[in-house]
Amino acid sequence: FDKGYSYNIRHSFGKEGKRTDYTPFSCLKIILTNPPSQGDYHGCPFRHSDPELLKQKLQSYKISPGGISQILDLVKGTHYQVACQKYFEMIHNVDDCGFSLNHPNQFFCESQRILNGGKDVKKESVQPETPQPKPSIQKTKNASSALASLNSSLEMDMEGLEDYFSD
């Protein structure tokens, strides 16, 4: 069991098998297909939760009673994405978020953008916070010197490896 389970986890994250990192499902696909069964923890909370359980969850998140009734009315009318968007607006104290939520990752990114004061979420960038503008001639010189330095260090590494393996 453990062997198969760990293989499935590694496969899901692109570490085994075809080495494909699968794209996450959109809201529409989550709402229309693959409802969670007993013991599963995936799915759209607005689509796959019992309305009473959803009401309790929203109360625990300190949503106003008027907001809860608006969200539950949207859920009863099967407008799950609009209910999600209304929830987003309420937790971020925004009157109109100005976009339509279509993906769980979009919910996260937009939430981070609002919490960071309008700055976009950086995706694993290694750039400094305030880049220094340089003239284009200086950029070319710096790039060529950096490339030359990189090439020389790679040559030294290769020589070291050749010496290591020839012994």
Side-chain angles (χ1 to χ4, degrees):
F1 172 77
D2 286 342
K3 198 182 252 187
Y5 182 73
S6 63
Y7 174 83
N8 286 337
I9 297 294
R10 290 191 312 272
H11 185 271
S12 294
F13 288 95
K15 305 296 182 200
E16 284 284 335
K18 199 164 89 171
R19 301 198 184 279
T20 300
D21 195 5
Y22 298 102
T23 57
F25 292 151
S26 68
C27 288
L28 189 61
K29 184 156 184 160
I30 292 170
I31 289 169
L32 295 177
T33 62
N34 198 16
S37 61
Q38 186 70 27
D40 285 345
Y41 296 98
H42 64 82
C44 174
F46 301 99
R47 165 68 173 97
H48 298 116
S49 292
D50 178 59
E52 191 57 39
L53 180 63
L54 181 61
K55 181 179 179 181
Q56 290 174 4
K57 275 289 190 194
L58 292 172
Q59 287 171 340
S60 73
Y61 296 149
K62 308 285 190 255
I63 303 295
S64 69
I68 292 174
S69 65
Q70 285 180 346
I71 290 172
L72 290 176
D73 288 342
L74 290 167
V75 168
K76 287 176 187 167
T78 67
H79 303 289
Y80 308 112
Q81 283 181 267
V82 180
C84 181
Q85 188 160 341
K86 181 57 89 175
Y87 170 72
F88 182 92
E89 292 168 355
M90 289 182 181
I91 61 171
H92 293 96
N93 295 322
V94 180
D95 290 332
D96 181 24
C97 57
F99 56 85
S100 133
L101 283 171
N102 296 314
H103 200 282
N105 291 356
Q106 180 189 12
F107 186 101
F108 174 78
C109 289
E110 294 295 337
S111 180
Q112 290 296 304
R113 187 180 59 76
I114 289 172
L115 294 173
N116 290 331
K119 298 176 187 171
D120 287 335
V121 178
K122 294 181 181 175
K123 295 185 180 180
E124 299 180 20
S125 74
V126 191
Q127 296 176 348
E129 290 287 303
T130 54
Q132 299 294 325
K134 297 177 185 173
S136 60
I137 296 170
Q138 192 174 3
K139 282 183 182 179
T140 307
K141 286 181 182 178
N142 287 343
S144 62
S145 66
L147 187 59
S149 171
L150 182 62
N151 282 337
S152 66
S153 67
L154 285 174
E155 287 174 11
M156 289 179 359
D157 289 345
M158 288 301 292
E159 289 172 8
L161 286 174
E162 288 172 358
D163 292 342
Y164 178 78
F165 286 114
S166 64
D167 291 338

